[in-house]
């Protein structure tokens, strides 16, 4: 706290000297980081390191060390600028506070109000002897009080300036061996960041069951006011602490406990509370995501502790069977929102998978005749008749008790992390666990979510599968499926590994392939269209062809995808695009190869479609009408093409779609003579595109169409001969 005498006697010369020194320091460090004086600098070092042809371990270890070291210079400049901003802002504001105080004292003196060295305010008029004949009015008590209030306001402002500067400088001094990549850009923003984070932390340390709706609304508003503010986010995370963060969230979503302690038990207040809890999950989750990417020692410790709490109870009722909340459950619900640090996500995911594998087993409900269940996840071990507590209040329809759902959504929002997770086999094969071995459950609360008397009454899609599909798309394509502005990227070996893993483990599930993931795999196969088309059109397995996928696995997954009309449409349109792209842009030694490959792939896809329809002939999953509406579903995942190819794609897609409805009426018919009746116009359009792309060819339209039709029949016959073929 700044006293009257502190501010009155304040000397600002040393602070001004520090401001000048840091200003010069910033200029010098900027030259070291960015160059400009012709000398060696970190930017040039980074550029040379990235452009060099590194070999062996140098390609990873040394290159990374050099680029990270170069980036540290940028962080040094960021911190130096931030320190200069704080010192300069503090000097400016303290100068003003001191002047305001002097002016206030001078104005008070002219009203015969005296302010002592300790800031005590009193009326002070000359004695009658000193005043003589002059009529000096006695100041009113209201005037004295006004002066006292003005001085108090000035001292309060000076105290806030002092505490802001101290807190901001301490923020930069907390890491002994690293520099933050974020800093303050103005003193006013620093003041708001520190003030608001302090207020939020104070609210977060209260018993959440005793927070009123108004207080919870304020908690949410504080976070909403600081989107992307790394310093605010880190102060919140570390201020609440990992234990406090998870316990606060687990306590807040314990709606029953809040109702017992709250005076506002009306239906309206409960509905308002549920809406606020949905906002709390989103805003706190997004704030923590921002904090996770700060890269500071404090947040590294925070993340390690959150993972350690994963298998522990962080609920508010000391682990009672129906109120236990695991750390994984609390954190995963928060993870649904924002983009979390990739290393943290993978460490967290590895720990989550291990905990599930170690704690999955058979259970039997208590009492005589209790129901027995096998391979039950740790989150589903309550008796089958027990009512679980809802932990997730948001847009989706799940209760939030399955932590894999939120974690998968987090991976979907960080494609690089998703790729690492689904391609990793150390410390365990994550893809095998998530895509094949793991048995999900109906994560719903029947009473509050309208799904019947028990969770087993729910027959809708499983949220964990839907989230896993999103994460798998991100992992295999490098594209966040929720980012409508994202476009395909160049694939790495890891993306191919994810594709291989997904085909292996999902094909092994056979007809148990999750329906929720059919459209997701359609997007994946479309994104890898070049590899998929190459495989679907291949004449035989070839160990010397690294581009070739496992054809048996590809057929099985294509069949499962084709069991859903929309996913079937996505897959076929995506591969039609690839066929036309191949015709226009590939340059094999024999141009006819692209024509024949297109025909073979059409035959392969037709076999997958036939198998899908036969599988569901007793319970058709397709609508009676052709409902697929085209390219919008795959635009984010389909590789780009040139203008000529795009016009061809449009023509082929039109011919294909116009014939699909007529095929539905005879959907289960299998006649070798008629099997491609519905594909004739598509094949004709592909032949026409080949002719346009090869204007110097010597074939007639008839012979080209005959050749592509023959290739389609051959491709279909080869697909029938694969494992599981009809």
């Amino acid at each position: 706290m700044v006293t009257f005498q502190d501010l009155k006697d304040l000397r600002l010369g040393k602070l001004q000297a520090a401001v000048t020194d840091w200003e010069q320091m910033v200029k010098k460090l900027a030259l070291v980081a960015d160059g400009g004086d012709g000398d060696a600098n970190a930017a040039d070092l980074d550029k040379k390191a990235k452009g060099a042809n590194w070999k062996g371990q140098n390609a990873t270890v040394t290159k990374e060390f050099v680029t990270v070291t170069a980036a540290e210079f940028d962080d040094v400049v960021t911190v130096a600028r931030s320190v200069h901003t704080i010192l300069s802002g503090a000097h400016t504001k303290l100068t003003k506070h001191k002047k305001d105080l002097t002016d206030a004292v001078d104005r008070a003196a002219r009203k015969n109000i005296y302010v002592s060295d300790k800031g005590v305010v009193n009326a002070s008029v000359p004695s009658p002897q000193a005043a003589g004949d002059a009529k000096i009015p006695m100041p009113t008590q209201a005037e004295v009080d006004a002066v006292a209030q003005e001085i108090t306001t000035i001292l309060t402002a000076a105290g806030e300036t002092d505490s802001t500067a101290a807190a901001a400088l301490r923020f930069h001094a907390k890491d002994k061996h690293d520099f933050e990549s974020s800093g303050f850009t103005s003193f006013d923003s620093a003041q708001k960041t520190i003030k608001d984070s302090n207020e939020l932390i104070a609210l977060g340390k209260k018993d959440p069951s005793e927070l009123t709706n108004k207080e919870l609304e304020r908690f949410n508003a504080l976070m909403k006011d600081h989107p992307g503010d790394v310093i605010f986010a880190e102060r919140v995370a570390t201020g609440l602490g990992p234990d406090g963060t998870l316990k606060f969230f687990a306590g807040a979503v314990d709606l029953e406990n809040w109702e017992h302690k709250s005076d506002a038990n009306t239906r309206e207040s409960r509905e308002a509370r549920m809406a606020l809890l949905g906002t709390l999950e989103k805003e706190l989750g997004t704030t923590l995501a921002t904090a996770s990417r700060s890269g500071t020692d404090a947040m590294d410790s925070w993340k390690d502790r959150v993972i350690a709490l994963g298998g522990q109870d962080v609920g508010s009722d000391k682990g009672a069977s129906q109120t236990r909340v695991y750390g994984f459950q609390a954190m995963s619900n928060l993870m649904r929102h924002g983009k979390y640090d990739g290393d943290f996500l993978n460490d967290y995911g590895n720990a989550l998978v291990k905990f599930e594998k170690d704690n999955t087993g058979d259970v039997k409900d208590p009492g005589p005749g209790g129901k027995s269940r096998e391979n039950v996840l740790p989150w589903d071990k309550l008796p089958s008749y027990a009512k679980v507590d809802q932990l997730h209040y948001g847009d989706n329809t799940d209760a939030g008790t399955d932590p894999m759902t939120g974690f998968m959504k987090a991976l979907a929002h960080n494609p690089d992390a998703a790729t690492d997770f689904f391609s990793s086999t150390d410390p365990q094969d994550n893809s095998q666990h998530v895509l094949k071995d793991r048995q999900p459950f109906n994560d719903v609360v029947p009473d509050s979510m309208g799904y019947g008397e028990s969770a087993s009454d729910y027959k809708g899609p499983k949220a964990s599968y839907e989230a896993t599909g999103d994460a798998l798309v991100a992992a295999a394509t490098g594209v966040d499926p929720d980012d409508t502005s994202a476009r395909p990227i160049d694939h790495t070996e890891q993306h191919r590994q994810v594709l291989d893993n997904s085909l292996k483990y999902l094909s092994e599930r056979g007809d148990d392939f999750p329906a929720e993931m059919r459209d997701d795999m359609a997007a994946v196969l479309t994104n890898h269209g070049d590899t998929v088309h190459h495989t679907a059109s291949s004449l035989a397995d070839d160990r010397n062809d690294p581009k070739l996928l496992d054809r048996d696995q590809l057929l099985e997954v294509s069949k499962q995808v084709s069991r859903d009309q929309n996913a079937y449409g996505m897959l076929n349109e995506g591969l039609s695009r690839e066929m036309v792209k191949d015709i226009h842009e590939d340059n094999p030694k024999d141009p006819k190869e692209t024509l024949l490959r297109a025909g073979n792939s059409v035959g392969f896809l037709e076999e997958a479609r036939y198998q899908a329809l036969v599988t569901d002939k007793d319970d058709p999953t397709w609508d009676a009408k052709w409902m697929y509406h085209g390219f919008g579903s795959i635009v984010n995942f389909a590789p780009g093409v040139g203008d000529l190819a795009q016009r061809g794609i449009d023509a082929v897609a039109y011919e294909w779609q116009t014939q699909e409805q007529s095929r539905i009426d005879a959907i289960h018919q299998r006649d070798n003579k008629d099997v491609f009746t519905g594909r004739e116009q598509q094949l004709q359009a592909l032949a026409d595109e080949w002719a346009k792309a090869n204007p110097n060819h010597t074939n007639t339209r008839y012979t080209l169409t005959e050749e592509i039709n023959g290739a389609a029949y051959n491709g279909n016959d080869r697909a029938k001969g694969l494992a599981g073929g009809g």
Side-chain angles (χ1 to χ4, degrees):
M1 176 180 178
V2 176
T3 67
F4 178 88
Q5 193 163 6
D6 288 337
L7 186 57
K8 177 175 176 292
D9 297 338
L10 182 62
R11 299 292 181 264
L12 295 168
K14 290 184 177 180
L15 181 55
Q16 178 59 60
V19 171
T20 302
D21 289 344
W22 276 97
E23 183 178 22
Q24 295 301 314
M25 179 67 73
V26 169
K27 292 179 181 178
K28 293 176 181 178
L29 289 173
L31 289 175
V32 175
D34 302 324
D37 60 352
D39 290 336
N41 59 81
D44 286 344
L45 180 65
D46 180 66
K47 184 178 180 180
K48 291 177 181 177
K50 291 178 178 177
N53 185 23
W54 299 92
K55 300 292 185 181
Q57 287 190 331
N58 283 330
T60 53
V61 179
T62 307
K63 181 179 180 180
E64 181 180 0
F65 172 78
V66 173
T67 55
V68 169
T69 301
E72 280 289 310
F73 282 95
D74 289 333
D75 293 346
V76 170
V77 175
T78 296
V79 172
R81 285 194 176 119
S82 182
V83 170
H84 174 259
T85 296
I86 297 304
L87 295 177
S88 178
H91 181 271
T92 299
K93 286 183 174 290
L94 288 172
T95 299
K96 184 179 184 301
H97 297 324
K98 183 175 182 179
K99 183 178 183 301
D100 289 345
L101 184 64
T102 300
D103 291 347
V105 171
D106 290 345
R107 286 195 303 273
R110 290 195 291 272
K111 296 178 181 180
N112 297 314
I113 298 173
Y114 172 71
V115 184
S116 73
D117 287 341
K118 294 186 177 181
V120 178
V121 181
N122 290 300
S124 179
V125 296
S127 64
Q129 294 84 354
D133 294 334
K135 293 183 178 180
I136 302 175
M138 175 69 75
T140 65
Q141 187 60 44
E143 289 175 319
V144 172
D145 291 343
V147 171
Q149 181 57 52
E150 182 181 11
I151 290 174
T152 298
T153 300
I154 293 170
L155 294 177
T156 299
E160 290 181 355
T161 296
D162 182 63
S163 62
T164 295
L169 293 174
R170 279 197 297 269
F171 175 80
H172 286 308
K174 67 183 184 304
D175 286 348
K176 295 180 179 180
H177 308 293
D178 201 3
F179 294 93
E180 295 83 9
S181 56
S182 300
F184 300 101
T185 57
S186 75
F187 194 90
D188 288 340
S189 65
Q191 197 160 23
K192 179 174 175 56
T193 290
I194 291 168
K195 181 180 179 181
D196 287 357
S197 57
N198 286 342
E199 181 183 353
L200 187 142
I201 291 166
L203 284 171
K205 289 188 174 180
K206 291 184 176 182
D207 183 343
S209 68
E210 296 179 356
L211 285 180
T212 65
N213 279 356
K214 186 175 181 180
E215 287 176 314
L216 190 55
E217 185 176 12
R218 176 60 179 166
F219 190 92
N220 293 339
L222 287 167
M223 292 183 289
K224 195 172 184 179
D225 281 348
H226 292 270
D229 187 337
V230 177
I231 298 174
F232 173 87
E234 182 177 342
R235 281 179 59 82
V236 168
T238 56
L240 293 175
D243 296 70
T245 301
L246 298 185
K247 288 181 181 296
F248 175 82
F249 181 76
V253 296
D254 184 358
L255 198 57
E256 300 299 323
N257 200 21
W258 173 72
E259 286 180 336
H260 293 158
K261 293 187 177 182
S262 172
D263 293 330
N265 280 328
T266 65
R267 177 178 178 181
E268 291 77 12
S269 68
R270 187 177 188 275
E271 290 177 349
R273 187 73 166 195
M274 292 173 69
L276 287 169
L277 291 176
T279 304
L280 169 68
E281 178 189 280
K282 178 181 178 181
E283 297 299 337
L284 183 55
T286 303
T287 298
L288 295 175
T290 300
S292 75
R293 303 195 306 273
S294 71
T296 64
D297 293 344
M299 279 309 301
D300 286 345
S301 297
W302 187 94
K303 289 180 281 191
D304 289 344
R305 178 58 181 164
V306 163
I307 294 171
L309 289 169
Q312 299 181 31
D313 177 31
V314 297
S316 57
D317 284 305
K318 307 302 182 186
S321 62
Q322 288 182 238
T323 56
R324 179 184 297 120
V325 180
Y326 287 100
F328 283 127
Q329 291 174 307
M331 190 65 225
S332 285
N333 278 308
L334 293 168
M335 277 184 175
R336 295 171 187 254
H337 313 281
K339 182 177 180 179
Y340 280 79
D341 171 65
D343 289 339
F344 171 54
L345 286 178
N346 275 278
D347 290 343
Y348 180 93
N350 288 335
L352 173 58
V353 170
K354 183 179 187 304
F355 185 82
E356 285 196 341
K357 289 167 69 72
D358 290 346
N359 293 276
T360 294
D362 301 342
V363 297
K364 184 176 184 298
D365 292 347
K371 181 179 179 181
S372 296
R373 293 178 293 154
E374 297 179 347
N375 296 322
V376 179
L377 290 164
W379 335 111
D380 189 33
K381 289 191 174 181
L382 289 177
S384 55
Y385 50 78
K387 176 180 178 291
V388 300
D389 288 327
Q390 188 169 343
L391 303 179
H392 164 61
Y393 297 87
D395 297 334
N396 296 325
T397 55
D398 62 296
T401 62
D402 186 347
M404 194 60 75
T405 302
F407 173 61
M408 287 290 122
K409 290 300 294 181
L411 286 181
H413 297 150
N414 189 331
D416 288 344
T419 302
D420 289 340
F421 179 83
F422 278 96
S423 62
S424 175
T425 56
D426 182 22
Q428 65 258 322
D429 190 329
N430 293 325
S431 286
Q432 179 176 346
H433 176 73
V434 174
L435 299 179
K436 181 187 176 186
D437 297 342
R438 189 179 193 272
Q439 297 299 316
F441 58 97
N442 285 343
D443 184 17
V444 296
V445 179
D447 292 345
S448 65
M449 302 179 78
Y451 294 132
E453 296 181 359
S454 70
S456 60
D457 294 331
Y458 175 70
K459 304 302 180 185
K462 289 181 171 59
S464 62
Y465 276 151
E466 291 186 321
T468 300
D470 288 341
L472 181 59
V473 168
T477 69
V479 175
D480 178 352
D482 291 334
D483 183 357
T484 57
S485 65
R487 291 296 179 267
I489 65 171
D490 292 335
H491 292 148
T492 66
E493 291 182 7
Q494 276 188 296
H495 292 128
R496 170 58 188 261
Q497 184 62 55
V498 174
L499 174 62
D500 288 339
N501 289 349
S502 64
L503 291 174
K504 172 179 171 58
Y505 294 123
L506 289 174
S507 67
E508 288 176 357
R509 296 189 67 161
D511 292 339
D512 190 37
F513 186 109
E516 297 88 341
M517 296 175 64
R518 291 169 182 161
D519 57 343
D520 300 303
M521 277 308 296
V524 169
L525 296 177
T526 292
N527 182 257
H528 288 266
D530 180 50
T531 304
V532 173
H533 173 42
H534 177 79
T535 302
S537 62
S538 64
L539 303 179
D541 292 334
D542 185 352
R543 295 179 180 178
N544 297 317
D545 184 358
K547 190 175 180 179
L548 199 65
L549 299 168
D550 185 298
R551 294 191 300 155
D552 295 310
Q553 295 172 1
L554 179 61
L555 179 64
E556 178 62 31
V557 169
S558 298
K559 163 195 165 182
Q560 299 302 332
V561 167
S562 299
R563 294 175 69 185
D564 175 83
Q565 188 190 111
N566 186 64
Y568 165 81
M570 292 170 63
L571 174 61
N572 277 264
E573 183 171 11
L575 288 188
S576 290
R577 288 177 59 83
E578 188 58 46
M579 293 174 209
V580 177
K581 177 176 179 287
D582 192 45
I583 287 171
H584 280 276
E585 299 179 8
D586 199 14
N587 295 293
K589 291 182 179 180
D590 183 351
K592 276 285 183 72
E593 181 179 332
T594 59
L595 177 73
L596 299 179
R597 279 191 177 275
N600 276 281
S601 284
V602 169
F604 184 95
L605 291 172
E606 187 64 18
E607 176 61 22
R609 174 185 184 271
Y610 173 75
Q611 289 187 27
L613 297 175
V614 169
T615 299
D616 295 322
K617 64 182 179 181
D618 296 326
D619 184 20
T621 58
W622 277 38
D623 293 321
K625 296 179 65 177
W626 178 244
M627 302 295 290
Y628 179 68
H629 297 299
F631 184 54
S633 301
I634 61 171
V635 65
N636 287 24
F637 308 104
V641 297
D643 291 340
L644 287 175
Q646 184 59 58
R647 287 196 288 271
I649 287 167
D650 295 339
V652 171
Y654 173 79
E655 296 296 347
W656 163 66
Q657 290 205 55
T658 56
Q659 290 194 295
E660 281 296 338
Q661 176 56 47
S662 62
R663 304 212 302 163
I664 292 179
D665 297 333
I667 210 162
H668 304 304
Q669 181 179 347
R670 177 70 162 226
D671 187 316
N672 287 336
K673 293 183 299 181
D674 300 326
V675 68
F676 290 114
T677 300
R679 297 274 194 176
E680 284 179 348
Q681 297 303 316
Q682 178 190 9
L683 291 167
Q684 179 69 74
L686 285 166
D688 290 343
E689 280 308 308
W690 187 90
K692 292 175 186 177
N694 297 274
N696 297 322
H697 72 90
T698 58
N699 302 271
T700 67
R701 190 176 190 231
Y702 179 89
T703 58
L704 289 176
T705 304
E706 172 67 17
E707 288 186 66
I708 195 172
N709 273 276
Y713 278 104
N714 291 337
N716 187 255
D717 286 339
R718 268 190 298 276
K720 292 176 191 176
L722 296 175

